[in-house]
Amino acid sequence: MSTAMPFDADATLMSEVKAAVETAGLTLRERYTTHARGVSLSDVVDEIHANDDAVLGVLREPLLRARQGSRWAEDELAGGALPPGEWWVVDPAEGNINHVHAMPDWAVTATLVRDNQPVLTVVHLPLTGDTYTAVAGGGTRLNDRPLKVSAKTDLGAALVGTGQAKPGEDKDTFRRIGDSVTAMLTGGLVVRVSVPATMQLIHVAAGRMDAFWQFSDVRSGLVAGALLVTEAGGTVTDLAGEPWSAGSRDFLAAAPGIHAAALEILRPIA
């Protein structure tokens, strides 16, 4: 049975979700330092977990309370389809590795996923105070300003990007990442390889970048950006060109004018 809800029912959640995410962002910002934290791998992992725990402590209950009957996707590094219904897919510190290393590219994200499709998202950047939001059918906004994807039609003029979804992925995934970068270096103008995915996808939604692809299905890094790009007029598919969902194996979000060209390069590698 479908759990489809009208746009208005989702839109009414936005102020409550936005407030919860921005409040959680204060916690993450308080934990930020201008020097890298941790020397050994275990030190770095401990810092990452401490960030997650601190933010989830102030974010989880407000979100579950905002949407009665919703459930929580526990593993932020998990992929694949979720069971039917409404789920909160949250990354309490998207770009946690950057936060721990005193770099600025990190955020707090919360996305309501219904039957494996994102329907509402908030991405908050505590260092700048910027908040990106989208509701399915309602467009994408940066703070209160509507966003639109790039109008480019020439891949040769495009700024595109990719990155790894998590440490320790299999060698075949790493090979595909490397092969895709080489291919796009010849097909596009400039290729960015960085993490996290959401921080590149907000640039695609805002028209600053023209495409982003990923060979991993880690859903917490994709659901927010997928909705932001779609609602800003972009095209989001898997690397076979089929409509993307949380159950898809891989991912491509692009300006409509270059999507087909990017897919032509990436499909054989996928």
Side-chain angles (χ1 to χ4, degrees):
M1 177 182 294
S2 172
T3 54
M5 300 282 286
F7 165 76
D8 287 348
D10 292 328
T12 57
L13 276 180
M14 181 55 76
S15 61
E16 196 169 351
V17 176
K18 184 171 177 286
V21 173
E22 290 177 348
T23 298
L26 295 175
T27 297
L28 192 58
R29 181 168 183 169
E30 288 170 358
R31 297 185 58 81
Y32 183 64
T33 60
T34 55
H35 60 275
R37 309 194 304 279
V39 175
S40 68
L41 175 60
S42 62
D43 291 341
V44 172
V45 170
D46 286 346
E47 291 285 353
I48 286 171
H49 287 164
N51 282 345
D52 284 343
D53 292 344
V55 176
L56 288 173
V58 298
L59 184 58
R60 178 174 179 142
E61 290 308 315
L63 292 180
L64 289 171
R65 187 169 58 246
R67 178 67 97 188
Q68 295 297 316
S70 62
R71 289 177 283 177
W72 194 268
E74 294 287 349
D75 185 356
E76 70 184 61
L77 293 179
L82 290 160
E86 293 187 334
W87 294 83
W88 287 108
V89 176
V90 170
D91 197 321
E94 169 73 327
N96 211 338
I97 193 69
N98 294 335
H99 186 286
V100 169
H101 285 86
M103 299 174 72
D105 291 341
W106 47 271
V108 180
T109 77
T111 305
L112 184 64
V113 175
R114 179 180 303 125
D115 298 335
N116 287 296
Q117 291 292 340
V119 296
L120 178 150
T121 194
V122 175
V123 176
H124 177 58
L125 282 56
L127 284 183
T128 65
D130 287 332
T131 302
Y132 294 77
T133 59
V135 178
T140 297
R141 286 174 172 75
L142 166 55
N143 303 324
D144 292 322
R145 178 170 62 86
L147 295 181
K148 187 172 179 60
V149 296
S150 165
K152 286 181 185 173
T153 58
D154 177 10
L155 184 62
L159 171 58
V160 300
T162 189
Q164 69 185 93
K166 59 182 178 180
E169 295 193 79
D170 62 87
K171 290 183 179 179
D172 189 51
T173 298
F174 290 148
R175 178 191 58 77
R176 288 196 297 268
I177 293 171
D179 289 349
S180 71
V181 170
T182 299
M184 277 293 191
L185 283 168
T186 61
L189 178 63
V190 172
V191 179
R192 297 183 71 200
V193 181
S194 64
V195 295
T198 303
M199 298 301 288
Q200 296 196 67
L201 286 164
I202 61 175
H203 293 314
V204 178
R208 306 181 198 112
M209 284 178 60
D210 305 296
F212 172 84
W213 71 94
Q214 185 168 287
F215 291 103
S216 174
D217 64 349
V218 175
R219 69 175 81 91
S220 66
L222 298 175
V223 289
L227 185 59
L228 291 169
V229 172
T230 298
E231 289 300 316
T235 302
V236 180
T237 67
D238 65 17
L239 291 175
E242 298 298 322
W244 182 86
S245 77
S248 299
R249 289 192 319 156
D250 40 40
F251 180 90
L252 172 63
I258 68 159
H259 179 271
L263 190 62
E264 184 176 357
I265 289 176
L266 295 170
R267 182 189 278 126
I269 299 168

mmCIF file with all atom_site columns, all heavy atoms in Angstrom, residues 132-159:
data_model
loop_
_atom_site.group_PDB
_atom_site.id
_atom_site.type_symbol
_atom_site.label_atom_id
_atom_site.label_alt_id
_atom_site.label_comp_id
_atom_site.label_asym_id
_atom_site.label_entity_id
_atom_site.label_seq_id
_atom_site.pdbx_PDB_ins_code
_atom_site.Cartn_x
_atom_site.Cartn_y
_atom_site.Cartn_z
_atom_site.occupancy
_atom_site.B_iso_or_equiv
_atom_site.pdbx_formal_charge
_atom_site.auth_seq_id
_atom_site.auth_comp_id
_atom_site.auth_asym_id
_atom_site.auth_atom_id
_atom_site.pdbx_PDB_model_num
ATOM 1   N N   . TYR A 1 132 ? 20.041 24.695 3.083   1.00 0.00 ? 132 TYR A N   1
ATOM 2   C CA  . TYR A 1 132 ? 19.426 24.266 1.824   1.00 0.00 ? 132 TYR A CA  1
ATOM 3   C C   . TYR A 1 132 ? 18.222 23.396 2.159   1.00 0.00 ? 132 TYR A C   1
ATOM 4   O O   . TYR A 1 132 ? 18.322 22.483 2.984   1.00 0.00 ? 132 TYR A O   1
ATOM 5   C CB  . TYR A 1 132 ? 20.417 23.459 0.990   1.00 0.00 ? 132 TYR A CB  1
ATOM 6   C CG  . TYR A 1 132 ? 21.604 24.244 0.491   1.00 0.00 ? 132 TYR A CG  1
ATOM 7   C CD1 . TYR A 1 132 ? 22.668 24.556 1.339   1.00 0.00 ? 132 TYR A CD1 1
ATOM 8   C CD2 . TYR A 1 132 ? 21.678 24.658 -0.840  1.00 0.00 ? 132 TYR A CD2 1
ATOM 9   C CE1 . TYR A 1 132 ? 23.773 25.262 0.869   1.00 0.00 ? 132 TYR A CE1 1
ATOM 10  C CE2 . TYR A 1 132 ? 22.769 25.368 -1.314  1.00 0.00 ? 132 TYR A CE2 1
ATOM 11  C CZ  . TYR A 1 132 ? 23.812 25.674 -0.446  1.00 0.00 ? 132 TYR A CZ  1
ATOM 12  O OH  . TYR A 1 132 ? 24.891 26.374 -0.915  1.00 0.00 ? 132 TYR A OH  1
ATOM 13  N N   . THR A 1 133 ? 17.084 23.660 1.506   1.00 0.00 ? 133 THR A N   1
ATOM 14  C CA  . THR A 1 133 ? 15.866 22.905 1.793   1.00 0.00 ? 133 THR A CA  1
ATOM 15  C C   . THR A 1 133 ? 15.151 22.544 0.496   1.00 0.00 ? 133 THR A C   1
ATOM 16  O O   . THR A 1 133 ? 15.265 23.245 -0.512  1.00 0.00 ? 133 THR A O   1
ATOM 17  C CB  . THR A 1 133 ? 14.889 23.719 2.665   1.00 0.00 ? 133 THR A CB  1
ATOM 18  O OG1 . THR A 1 133 ? 14.530 24.932 1.986   1.00 0.00 ? 133 THR A OG1 1
ATOM 19  C CG2 . THR A 1 133 ? 15.499 24.060 4.017   1.00 0.00 ? 133 THR A CG2 1
ATOM 20  N N   . ALA A 1 134 ? 14.401 21.447 0.562   1.00 0.00 ? 134 ALA A N   1
ATOM 21  C CA  . ALA A 1 134 ? 13.543 21.068 -0.562  1.00 0.00 ? 134 ALA A CA  1
ATOM 22  C C   . ALA A 1 134 ? 12.419 20.188 -0.048  1.00 0.00 ? 134 ALA A C   1
ATOM 23  O O   . ALA A 1 134 ? 12.609 19.386 0.866   1.00 0.00 ? 134 ALA A O   1
ATOM 24  C CB  . ALA A 1 134 ? 14.327 20.333 -1.640  1.00 0.00 ? 134 ALA A CB  1
ATOM 25  N N   . VAL A 1 135 ? 11.253 20.359 -0.654  1.00 0.00 ? 135 VAL A N   1
ATOM 26  C CA  . VAL A 1 135 ? 10.112 19.471 -0.473  1.00 0.00 ? 135 VAL A CA  1
ATOM 27  C C   . VAL A 1 135 ? 9.701  19.001 -1.855  1.00 0.00 ? 135 VAL A C   1
ATOM 28  O O   . VAL A 1 135 ? 9.680  19.795 -2.799  1.00 0.00 ? 135 VAL A O   1
ATOM 29  C CB  . VAL A 1 135 ? 8.930  20.187 0.215   1.00 0.00 ? 135 VAL A CB  1
ATOM 30  C CG1 . VAL A 1 135 ? 7.736  19.252 0.345   1.00 0.00 ? 135 VAL A CG1 1
ATOM 31  C CG2 . VAL A 1 135 ? 9.339  20.709 1.584   1.00 0.00 ? 135 VAL A CG2 1
ATOM 32  N N   . ALA A 1 136 ? 9.422  17.723 -2.005  1.00 0.00 ? 136 ALA A N   1
ATOM 33  C CA  . ALA A 1 136 ? 9.027  17.195 -3.311  1.00 0.00 ? 136 ALA A CA  1
ATOM 34  C C   . ALA A 1 136 ? 7.844  17.973 -3.856  1.00 0.00 ? 136 ALA A C   1
ATOM 35  O O   . ALA A 1 136 ? 6.810  18.105 -3.203  1.00 0.00 ? 136 ALA A O   1
ATOM 36  C CB  . ALA A 1 136 ? 8.676  15.717 -3.194  1.00 0.00 ? 136 ALA A CB  1
ATOM 37  N N   . GLY A 1 137 ? 8.017  18.545 -5.047  1.00 0.00 ? 137 GLY A N   1
ATOM 38  C CA  . GLY A 1 137 ? 6.971  19.347 -5.669  1.00 0.00 ? 137 GLY A CA  1
ATOM 39  C C   . GLY A 1 137 ? 7.026  20.814 -5.302  1.00 0.00 ? 137 GLY A C   1
ATOM 40  O O   . GLY A 1 137 ? 6.229  21.608 -5.813  1.00 0.00 ? 137 GLY A O   1
ATOM 41  N N   . GLY A 1 138 ? 7.977  21.204 -4.447  1.00 0.00 ? 138 GLY A N   1
ATOM 42  C CA  . GLY A 1 138 ? 7.997  22.584 -3.959  1.00 0.00 ? 138 GLY A CA  1
ATOM 43  C C   . GLY A 1 138 ? 9.246  23.369 -4.273  1.00 0.00 ? 138 GLY A C   1
ATOM 44  O O   . GLY A 1 138 ? 9.391  24.512 -3.835  1.00 0.00 ? 138 GLY A O   1
ATOM 45  N N   . GLY A 1 139 ? 10.186 22.795 -5.025  1.00 0.00 ? 139 GLY A N   1
ATOM 46  C CA  . GLY A 1 139 ? 11.397 23.517 -5.379  1.00 0.00 ? 139 GLY A CA  1
ATOM 47  C C   . GLY A 1 139 ? 12.480 23.427 -4.314  1.00 0.00 ? 139 GLY A C   1
ATOM 48  O O   . GLY A 1 139 ? 12.269 22.887 -3.222  1.00 0.00 ? 139 GLY A O   1
ATOM 49  N N   . THR A 1 140 ? 13.639 23.964 -4.662  1.00 0.00 ? 140 THR A N   1
ATOM 50  C CA  . THR A 1 140 ? 14.809 23.967 -3.779  1.00 0.00 ? 140 THR A CA  1
ATOM 51  C C   . THR A 1 140 ? 15.152 25.395 -3.413  1.00 0.00 ? 140 THR A C   1
ATOM 52  O O   . THR A 1 140 ? 15.079 26.292 -4.248  1.00 0.00 ? 140 THR A O   1
ATOM 53  C CB  . THR A 1 140 ? 16.012 23.309 -4.488  1.00 0.00 ? 140 THR A CB  1
ATOM 54  O OG1 . THR A 1 140 ? 15.703 21.949 -4.749  1.00 0.00 ? 140 THR A OG1 1
ATOM 55  C CG2 . THR A 1 140 ? 17.270 23.394 -3.640  1.00 0.00 ? 140 THR A CG2 1
ATOM 56  N N   . ARG A 1 141 ? 15.570 25.584 -2.160  1.00 0.00 ? 141 ARG A N   1
ATOM 57  C CA  . ARG A 1 141 ? 15.919 26.931 -1.699  1.00 0.00 ? 141 ARG A CA  1
ATOM 58  C C   . ARG A 1 141 ? 17.213 26.913 -0.905  1.00 0.00 ? 141 ARG A C   1
ATOM 59  O O   . ARG A 1 141 ? 17.489 25.954 -0.184  1.00 0.00 ? 141 ARG A O   1
ATOM 60  C CB  . ARG A 1 141 ? 14.798 27.513 -0.829  1.00 0.00 ? 141 ARG A CB  1
ATOM 61  C CG  . ARG A 1 141 ? 13.585 27.936 -1.633  1.00 0.00 ? 141 ARG A CG  1
ATOM 62  C CD  . ARG A 1 141 ? 12.411 28.378 -0.765  1.00 0.00 ? 141 ARG A CD  1
ATOM 63  N NE  . ARG A 1 141 ? 11.360 28.952 -1.588  1.00 0.00 ? 141 ARG A NE  1
ATOM 64  C CZ  . ARG A 1 141 ? 10.527 28.248 -2.353  1.00 0.00 ? 141 ARG A CZ  1
ATOM 65  N NH1 . ARG A 1 141 ? 10.626 26.930 -2.391  1.00 0.00 ? 141 ARG A NH1 1
ATOM 66  N NH2 . ARG A 1 141 ? 9.608  28.847 -3.076  1.00 0.00 ? 141 ARG A NH2 1
ATOM 67  N N   . LEU A 1 142 ? 17.976 27.974 -1.068  1.00 0.00 ? 142 LEU A N   1
ATOM 68  C CA  . LEU A 1 142 ? 19.108 28.281 -0.202  1.00 0.00 ? 142 LEU A CA  1
ATOM 69  C C   . LEU A 1 142 ? 18.660 29.433 0.665   1.00 0.00 ? 142 LEU A C   1
ATOM 70  O O   . LEU A 1 142 ? 18.428 30.536 0.152   1.00 0.00 ? 142 LEU A O   1
ATOM 71  C CB  . LEU A 1 142 ? 20.337 28.651 -1.023  1.00 0.00 ? 142 LEU A CB  1
ATOM 72  C CG  . LEU A 1 142 ? 21.491 29.314 -0.260  1.00 0.00 ? 142 LEU A CG  1
ATOM 73  C CD1 . LEU A 1 142 ? 21.939 28.479 0.924   1.00 0.00 ? 142 LEU A CD1 1
ATOM 74  C CD2 . LEU A 1 142 ? 22.655 29.600 -1.199  1.00 0.00 ? 142 LEU A CD2 1
ATOM 75  N N   . ASN A 1 143 ? 18.512 29.162 1.963   1.00 0.00 ? 143 ASN A N   1
ATOM 76  C CA  . ASN A 1 143 ? 17.864 30.105 2.858   1.00 0.00 ? 143 ASN A CA  1
ATOM 77  C C   . ASN A 1 143 ? 16.464 30.379 2.282   1.00 0.00 ? 143 ASN A C   1
ATOM 78  O O   . ASN A 1 143 ? 15.668 29.471 2.202   1.00 0.00 ? 143 ASN A O   1
ATOM 79  C CB  . ASN A 1 143 ? 18.735 31.333 3.080   1.00 0.00 ? 143 ASN A CB  1
ATOM 80  C CG  . ASN A 1 143 ? 20.107 30.937 3.628   1.00 0.00 ? 143 ASN A CG  1
ATOM 81  O OD1 . ASN A 1 143 ? 20.229 30.000 4.419   1.00 0.00 ? 143 ASN A OD1 1
ATOM 82  N ND2 . ASN A 1 143 ? 21.154 31.624 3.189   1.00 0.00 ? 143 ASN A ND2 1
ATOM 83  N N   . ASP A 1 144 ? 16.156 31.571 1.801   1.00 0.00 ? 144 ASP A N   1
ATOM 84  C CA  . ASP A 1 144 ? 14.830 31.804 1.214   1.00 0.00 ? 144 ASP A CA  1
ATOM 85  C C   . ASP A 1 144 ? 14.894 32.050 -0.293  1.00 0.00 ? 144 ASP A C   1
ATOM 86  O O   . ASP A 1 144 ? 13.909 32.479 -0.900  1.00 0.00 ? 144 ASP A O   1
ATOM 87  C CB  . ASP A 1 144 ? 14.158 33.008 1.889   1.00 0.00 ? 144 ASP A CB  1
ATOM 88  C CG  . ASP A 1 144 ? 13.793 32.709 3.332   1.00 0.00 ? 144 ASP A CG  1
ATOM 89  O OD1 . ASP A 1 144 ? 13.370 31.570 3.609   1.00 0.00 ? 144 ASP A OD1 1
ATOM 90  O OD2 . ASP A 1 144 ? 13.964 33.598 4.186   1.00 0.00 ? 144 ASP A OD2 1
ATOM 91  N N   . ARG A 1 145 ? 16.031 31.762 -0.917  1.00 0.00 ? 145 ARG A N   1
ATOM 92  C CA  . ARG A 1 145 ? 16.213 32.059 -2.337  1.00 0.00 ? 145 ARG A CA  1
ATOM 93  C C   . ARG A 1 145 ? 16.055 30.795 -3.172  1.00 0.00 ? 145 ARG A C   1
ATOM 94  O O   . ARG A 1 145 ? 16.747 29.810 -2.938  1.00 0.00 ? 145 ARG A O   1
ATOM 95  C CB  . ARG A 1 145 ? 17.593 32.677 -2.563  1.00 0.00 ? 145 ARG A CB  1
ATOM 96  C CG  . ARG A 1 145 ? 17.914 32.974 -4.016  1.00 0.00 ? 145 ARG A CG  1
ATOM 97  C CD  . ARG A 1 145 ? 19.171 33.796 -4.105  1.00 0.00 ? 145 ARG A CD  1
ATOM 98  N NE  . ARG A 1 145 ? 20.340 33.110 -3.575  1.00 0.00 ? 145 ARG A NE  1
ATOM 99  C CZ  . ARG A 1 145 ? 21.105 32.267 -4.278  1.00 0.00 ? 145 ARG A CZ  1
ATOM 100 N NH1 . ARG A 1 145 ? 20.803 31.993 -5.547  1.00 0.00 ? 145 ARG A NH1 1
ATOM 101 N NH2 . ARG A 1 145 ? 22.162 31.713 -3.732  1.00 0.00 ? 145 ARG A NH2 1
ATOM 102 N N   . PRO A 1 146 ? 15.192 30.789 -4.178  1.00 0.00 ? 146 PRO A N   1
ATOM 103 C CA  . PRO A 1 146 ? 15.045 29.608 -5.044  1.00 0.00 ? 146 PRO A CA  1
ATOM 104 C C   . PRO A 1 146 ? 16.336 29.324 -5.809  1.00 0.00 ? 146 PRO A C   1
ATOM 105 O O   . PRO A 1 146 ? 17.052 30.243 -6.211  1.00 0.00 ? 146 PRO A O   1
ATOM 106 C CB  . PRO A 1 146 ? 13.915 30.006 -6.003  1.00 0.00 ? 146 PRO A CB  1
ATOM 107 C CG  . PRO A 1 146 ? 13.200 31.119 -5.330  1.00 0.00 ? 146 PRO A CG  1
ATOM 108 C CD  . PRO A 1 146 ? 14.231 31.853 -4.536  1.00 0.00 ? 146 PRO A CD  1
ATOM 109 N N   . LEU A 1 147 ? 16.617 28.035 -6.008  1.00 0.00 ? 147 LEU A N   1
ATOM 110 C CA  . LEU A 1 147 ? 17.806 27.616 -6.743  1.00 0.00 ? 147 LEU A CA  1
ATOM 111 C C   . LEU A 1 147 ? 17.425 26.935 -8.045  1.00 0.00 ? 147 LEU A C   1
ATOM 112 O O   . LEU A 1 147 ? 16.360 26.329 -8.150  1.00 0.00 ? 147 LEU A O   1
ATOM 113 C CB  . LEU A 1 147 ? 18.649 26.652 -5.901  1.00 0.00 ? 147 LEU A CB  1
ATOM 114 C CG  . LEU A 1 147 ? 19.272 27.207 -4.626  1.00 0.00 ? 147 LEU A CG  1
ATOM 115 C CD1 . LEU A 1 147 ? 20.082 26.124 -3.930  1.00 0.00 ? 147 LEU A CD1 1
ATOM 116 C CD2 . LEU A 1 147 ? 20.136 28.433 -4.905  1.00 0.00 ? 147 LEU A CD2 1
ATOM 117 N N   . LYS A 1 148 ? 18.333 27.012 -9.008  1.00 0.00 ? 148 LYS A N   1
ATOM 118 C CA  . LYS A 1 148 ? 18.137 26.364 -10.297 1.00 0.00 ? 148 LYS A CA  1
ATOM 119 C C   . LYS A 1 148 ? 19.469 25.799 -10.767 1.00 0.00 ? 148 LYS A C   1
ATOM 120 O O   . LYS A 1 148 ? 20.508 26.437 -10.615 1.00 0.00 ? 148 LYS A O   1
ATOM 121 C CB  . LYS A 1 148 ? 17.591 27.360 -11.328 1.00 0.00 ? 148 LYS A CB  1
ATOM 122 C CG  . LYS A 1 148 ? 17.187 26.720 -12.659 1.00 0.00 ? 148 LYS A CG  1
ATOM 123 C CD  . LYS A 1 148 ? 16.482 27.717 -13.539 1.00 0.00 ? 148 LYS A CD  1
ATOM 124 C CE  . LYS A 1 148 ? 16.093 27.096 -14.879 1.00 0.00 ? 148 LYS A CE  1
ATOM 125 N NZ  . LYS A 1 148 ? 15.188 25.946 -14.718 1.00 0.00 ? 148 LYS A NZ  1
ATOM 126 N N   . VAL A 1 149 ? 19.422 24.607 -11.351 1.00 0.00 ? 149 VAL A N   1
ATOM 127 C CA  . VAL A 1 149 ? 20.647 23.966 -11.833 1.00 0.00 ? 149 VAL A CA  1
ATOM 128 C C   . VAL A 1 149 ? 21.210 24.709 -13.036 1.00 0.00 ? 149 VAL A C   1
ATOM 129 O O   . VAL A 1 149 ? 20.559 25.561 -13.635 1.00 0.00 ? 149 VAL A O   1
ATOM 130 C CB  . VAL A 1 149 ? 20.402 22.480 -12.188 1.00 0.00 ? 149 VAL A CB  1
ATOM 131 C CG1 . VAL A 1 149 ? 20.007 21.677 -10.955 1.00 0.00 ? 149 VAL A CG1 1
ATOM 132 C CG2 . VAL A 1 149 ? 19.360 22.355 -13.295 1.00 0.00 ? 149 VAL A CG2 1
ATOM 133 N N   . SER A 1 150 ? 22.420 24.330 -13.412 1.00 0.00 ? 150 SER A N   1
ATOM 134 C CA  . SER A 1 150 ? 23.125 24.935 -14.531 1.00 0.00 ? 150 SER A CA  1
ATOM 135 C C   . SER A 1 150 ? 22.360 24.779 -15.841 1.00 0.00 ? 150 SER A C   1
ATOM 136 O O   . SER A 1 150 ? 21.692 23.774 -16.080 1.00 0.00 ? 150 SER A O   1
ATOM 137 C CB  . SER A 1 150 ? 24.499 24.278 -14.656 1.00 0.00 ? 150 SER A CB  1
ATOM 138 O OG  . SER A 1 150 ? 25.100 24.548 -15.892 1.00 0.00 ? 150 SER A OG  1
ATOM 139 N N   . ALA A 1 151 ? 22.521 25.766 -16.709 1.00 0.00 ? 151 ALA A N   1
ATOM 140 C CA  . ALA A 1 151 ? 21.922 25.718 -18.050 1.00 0.00 ? 151 ALA A CA  1
ATOM 141 C C   . ALA A 1 151 ? 22.893 25.200 -19.102 1.00 0.00 ? 151 ALA A C   1
ATOM 142 O O   . ALA A 1 151 ? 22.578 25.218 -20.292 1.00 0.00 ? 151 ALA A O   1
ATOM 143 C CB  . ALA A 1 151 ? 21.443 27.116 -18.441 1.00 0.00 ? 151 ALA A CB  1
ATOM 144 N N   . LYS A 1 152 ? 24.058 24.696 -18.704 1.00 0.00 ? 152 LYS A N   1
ATOM 145 C CA  . LYS A 1 152 ? 25.053 24.251 -19.670 1.00 0.00 ? 152 LYS A CA  1
ATOM 146 C C   . LYS A 1 152 ? 24.538 23.083 -20.515 1.00 0.00 ? 152 LYS A C   1
ATOM 147 O O   . LYS A 1 152 ? 23.788 22.231 -20.035 1.00 0.00 ? 152 LYS A O   1
ATOM 148 C CB  . LYS A 1 152 ? 26.338 23.831 -18.962 1.00 0.00 ? 152 LYS A CB  1
ATOM 149 C CG  . LYS A 1 152 ? 27.157 25.001 -18.450 1.00 0.00 ? 152 LYS A CG  1
ATOM 150 C CD  . LYS A 1 152 ? 28.423 24.529 -17.773 1.00 0.00 ? 152 LYS A CD  1
ATOM 151 C CE  . LYS A 1 152 ? 29.185 25.704 -17.162 1.00 0.00 ? 152 LYS A CE  1
ATOM 152 N NZ  . LYS A 1 152 ? 30.324 25.242 -16.355 1.00 0.00 ? 152 LYS A NZ  1
ATOM 153 N N   . THR A 1 153 ? 24.990 23.057 -21.759 1.00 0.00 ? 153 THR A N   1
ATOM 154 C CA  . THR A 1 153 ? 24.646 21.957 -22.666 1.00 0.00 ? 153 THR A CA  1
ATOM 155 C C   . THR A 1 153 ? 25.887 21.278 -23.243 1.00 0.00 ? 153 THR A C   1
ATOM 156 O O   . THR A 1 153 ? 25.766 20.317 -23.998 1.00 0.00 ? 153 THR A O   1
ATOM 157 C CB  . THR A 1 153 ? 23.776 22.473 -23.828 1.00 0.00 ? 153 THR A CB  1
ATOM 158 O OG1 . THR A 1 153 ? 24.493 23.504 -24.532 1.00 0.00 ? 153 THR A OG1 1
ATOM 159 C CG2 . THR A 1 153 ? 22.456 23.013 -23.323 1.00 0.00 ? 153 THR A CG2 1
ATOM 160 N N   . ASP A 1 154 ? 27.065 21.752 -22.875 1.00 0.00 ? 154 ASP A N   1
ATOM 161 C CA  . ASP A 1 154 ? 28.322 21.225 -23.397 1.00 0.00 ? 154 ASP A CA  1
ATOM 162 C C   . ASP A 1 154 ? 29.116 20.624 -22.248 1.00 0.00 ? 154 ASP A C   1
ATOM 163 O O   . ASP A 1 154 ? 29.587 21.352 -21.357 1.00 0.00 ? 154 ASP A O   1
ATOM 164 C CB  . ASP A 1 154 ? 29.112 22.346 -24.065 1.00 0.00 ? 154 ASP A CB  1
ATOM 165 C CG  . ASP A 1 154 ? 30.472 21.887 -24.583 1.00 0.00 ? 154 ASP A CG  1
ATOM 166 O OD1 . ASP A 1 154 ? 30.736 20.664 -24.590 1.00 0.00 ? 154 ASP A OD1 1
ATOM 167 O OD2 . ASP A 1 154 ? 31.267 22.766 -24.970 1.00 0.00 ? 154 ASP A OD2 1
ATOM 168 N N   . LEU A 1 155 ? 29.273 19.297 -22.253 1.00 0.00 ? 155 LEU A N   1
ATOM 169 C CA  . LEU A 1 155 ? 30.057 18.650 -21.202 1.00 0.00 ? 155 LEU A CA  1
ATOM 170 C C   . LEU A 1 155 ? 31.483 19.163 -21.179 1.00 0.00 ? 155 LEU A C   1
ATOM 171 O O   . LEU A 1 155 ? 32.112 19.234 -20.117 1.00 0.00 ? 155 LEU A O   1
ATOM 172 C CB  . LEU A 1 155 ? 30.034 17.126 -21.395 1.00 0.00 ? 155 LEU A CB  1
ATOM 173 C CG  . LEU A 1 155 ? 30.734 16.289 -20.320 1.00 0.00 ? 155 LEU A CG  1
ATOM 174 C CD1 . LEU A 1 155 ? 30.080 16.490 -18.953 1.00 0.00 ? 155 LEU A CD1 1
ATOM 175 C CD2 . LEU A 1 155 ? 30.717 14.807 -20.697 1.00 0.00 ? 155 LEU A CD2 1
ATOM 176 N N   . GLY A 1 156 ? 31.984 19.558 -22.318 1.00 0.00 ? 156 GLY A N   1
ATOM 177 C CA  . GLY A 1 156 ? 33.338 20.088 -22.391 1.00 0.00 ? 156 GLY A CA  1
ATOM 178 C C   . GLY A 1 156 ? 33.531 21.383 -21.640 1.00 0.00 ? 156 GLY A C   1
ATOM 179 O O   . GLY A 1 156 ? 34.667 21.787 -21.384 1.00 0.00 ? 156 GLY A O   1
ATOM 180 N N   . ALA A 1 157 ? 32.446 22.028 -21.255 1.00 0.00 ? 157 ALA A N   1
ATOM 181 C CA  . ALA A 1 157 ? 32.523 23.265 -20.475 1.00 0.00 ? 157 ALA A CA  1
ATOM 182 C C   . ALA A 1 157 ? 32.136 23.046 -19.015 1.00 0.00 ? 157 ALA A C   1
ATOM 183 O O   . ALA A 1 157 ? 32.013 24.002 -18.250 1.00 0.00 ? 157 ALA A O   1
ATOM 184 C CB  . ALA A 1 157 ? 31.594 24.317 -21.085 1.00 0.00 ? 157 ALA A CB  1
ATOM 185 N N   . ALA A 1 158 ? 31.981 21.773 -18.622 1.00 0.00 ? 158 ALA A N   1
ATOM 186 C CA  . ALA A 1 158 ? 31.360 21.462 -17.332 1.00 0.00 ? 158 ALA A CA  1
ATOM 187 C C   . ALA A 1 158 ? 32.378 21.219 -16.224 1.00 0.00 ? 158 ALA A C   1
ATOM 188 O O   . ALA A 1 158 ? 33.434 20.614 -16.432 1.00 0.00 ? 158 ALA A O   1
ATOM 189 C CB  . ALA A 1 158 ? 30.466 20.236 -17.471 1.00 0.00 ? 158 ALA A CB  1
ATOM 190 N N   . LEU A 1 159 ? 32.018 21.677 -15.037 1.00 0.00 ? 159 LEU A N   1
ATOM 191 C CA  . LEU A 1 159 ? 32.710 21.347 -13.794 1.00 0.00 ? 159 LEU A CA  1
ATOM 192 C C   . LEU A 1 159 ? 31.942 20.199 -13.147 1.00 0.00 ? 159 LEU A C   1
ATOM 193 O O   . LEU A 1 159 ? 30.758 20.353 -12.810 1.00 0.00 ? 159 LEU A O   1
ATOM 194 C CB  . LEU A 1 159 ? 32.752 22.554 -12.862 1.00 0.00 ? 159 LEU A CB  1
ATOM 195 C CG  . LEU A 1 159 ? 33.244 22.338 -11.426 1.00 0.00 ? 159 LEU A CG  1
ATOM 196 C CD1 . LEU A 1 159 ? 34.657 21.773 -11.412 1.00 0.00 ? 159 LEU A CD1 1
ATOM 197 C CD2 . LEU A 1 159 ? 33.172 23.640 -10.638 1.00 0.00 ? 159 LEU A CD2 1
#
